[in-house]
Amino acid sequence: MSTSTIRSASQAKLFGLIVMILGGVFLVAGAVTWGAVSSNLKAENITVAEDADMFAGQVVDTPWEAFSQAAIINHHALDMSGGKTYAELDREDPVRATVMNGSFLRASLFTSVVAFGVALLVMGLGVTFGVVGWAIRSLGVAVAGTSATPERPVVAAV
């Protein structure tokens, strides 16, 4: 086996290992982020309203519960304002402040939904990196285990 083939196989194995380690870091970072968002939401002691379409009465600590609570807040605000949004209400309307607070609460809940989504994306990337790193490493092992001669070069199957 030629020196360049051995060097290429070693480099592939090393690169594969590095990609797998990055995958592990991404997976852990995403999981820690998911846990942090969940525990911080839970600490707020927000309970999904009883008249919500889904998750009624449950503590908000998942993206689905946060989305459900945001939807019912919007429903209540629109009921209170006669179907008008904050921007559509007259500046002197006494309901405007309550609708504004509802809008801010919804924005905060949607921010947590986005944070959960980013955490899930990062975890998915971690798994993907792990699989790709394993594949690269396996190719390096396969190349290192074959015998190559100048007449018969090693060709990696993709």
Side-chain angles (χ1 to χ4, degrees), residues 147-155:
S147 59
T149 62
E151 300 84 34
R152 198 181 86 173
V154 173
V155 178

Side-chain angles (χ1 to χ4, degrees), residues 85-98:
T85 64
Y86 169 76
E88 295 171 329
L89 288 170
D90 206 41
R91 288 184 188 260
E92 306 304 318
D93 192 327
V95 174
R96 193 167 196 244
T98 304

Side-chain angles (χ1 to χ4, degrees), residues 65-105:
E65 293 158 348
F67 193 85
S68 182
Q69 180 62 15
I72 198 64
I73 288 172
N74 186 50
H75 176 75
H76 290 165
L78 290 174
D79 275 354
M80 180 181 284
S81 67
K84 291 183 179 179
T85 64
Y86 169 76
E88 295 171 329
L89 288 170
D90 206 41
R91 288 184 188 260
E92 306 304 318
D93 192 327
V95 174
R96 193 167 196 244
T98 304
V99 173
M100 177 183 67
N101 285 337
S103 180
F104 291 161
L105 290 170

Side-chain angles (χ1 to χ4, degrees), residues 104-118:
F104 291 161
L105 290 170
R106 288 181 62 231
S108 295
L109 288 166
F110 284 140
T111 300
S112 71
V113 171
V114 170
F116 277 118
V118 170

Side-chain angles (χ1 to χ4, degrees), residues 21-40:
I21 290 169
L22 282 173
V25 169
F26 279 22
L27 185 61
V28 169
V32 167
T33 301
W34 183 285
V37 173
S38 179
S39 65
N40 280 296

